[in-house]
Amino acid sequence: MKEKNKNLAIRFASAAVLLPSLVWVTYLGGLPFAIMCAIAAAICAGELIHMSQGRIDFGAMVGIVIAGLIPMAAWRSITTTGALMPEWFAIALGGATICIMIIYLFKSGPLETAPRAISIVALGWLYSGLLLSTLTAMHTRYGTGMVLLSLSMT
C-alpha cells in the first residue's frame, strides 16, 4: 500500500470510530458535550499556533489551556446564570493576555519575535475557544438539533 493510501485509510478508520462517539456525546449534551468542545478548542488552538509558529512553547501551552477553558466557562455560566459568559470573563481574558505578554517578554531569544507570538497565541484562544463556546451555549439553549444543523452547514 502506498504511503498516500495508507494515510487515507488511517483517516477513514479513525473517522469511522470517532464519528459515532462524537454524535452520541452531542446527543447527550451537558457536561460531556462541554468537555468535548473544550478538548476540540484546545486541539484547534494548538494546531493554529503550531502552523503559525512551527513549534509549541510554554506560552503556546498556556494559550492552549486557556482556549480549552473558555467553552467550560461558557457552559458553567449558561447553566447557572443563563448568560453566555460569566461576569468575570473579560477580566480573566485581560489577565491571560498580560500573562502571555510577560511569558514572551522574558523568553530567551530576540524580543522582536514577541509581538507576533503573543498575537498568534491570543488568536488561538479567541478563535478556537470563543467559537466552540458559542456551540456549547447553543446546545444548552436550543438543543441537539440546532448544533447538528450548525455543524452540517459549516
Side-chain angles (χ1 to χ4, degrees):
M1 182 179 281
K2 293 181 182 177
E3 185 65 32
K4 186 176 180 181
N5 291 339
K6 185 178 179 183
N7 190 15
L8 183 62
I10 291 171
R11 287 177 183 241
F12 183 76
S14 63
V17 171
L18 288 176
L19 185 64
S21 60
L22 294 178
V23 171
W24 179 70
V25 170
T26 303
Y27 177 75
L28 280 178
L31 184 60
F33 183 73
I35 291 171
M36 180 185 72
C37 286
I39 292 169
I43 291 171
C44 290
E47 283 290 320
L48 190 139
I49 293 168
H50 189 266
M51 283 190 305
S52 301
Q53 290 184 342
R55 67 187 187 290
I56 301 290
D57 54 8
F58 178 70
M61 291 298 290
V62 172
I64 290 168
V65 169
I66 292 168
L69 290 175
I70 292 173
M72 296 304 295
W75 174 79
R76 177 76 174 144
S77 177
I78 203 159
T79 56
T80 57
T81 65
L84 177 60
M85 287 293 176
E87 295 173 353
W88 49 263
F89 183 72
I91 294 171
L93 274 187
T97 305
I98 291 170
C99 285
I100 294 296
M101 288 178 175
I102 290 170
I103 288 169
Y104 281 107
L105 178 66
F106 293 111
K107 183 180 171 225
S108 63
L111 190 59
E112 294 81 24
T113 62
R116 181 176 185 273
I118 293 166
S119 61
I120 290 169
V121 170
L123 174 68
W125 80 55
L126 290 174
Y127 181 72
S128 305
L130 287 178
L131 186 65
L132 286 162
S133 69
T134 57
L135 198 62
T136 304
M138 188 185 308
H139 192 286
T140 304
R141 283 214 176 136
Y142 303 114
T144 304
M146 187 61 77
V147 171
L148 293 177
L149 177 66
S150 66
L151 290 176
S152 66
M153 296 301 285
T154 56

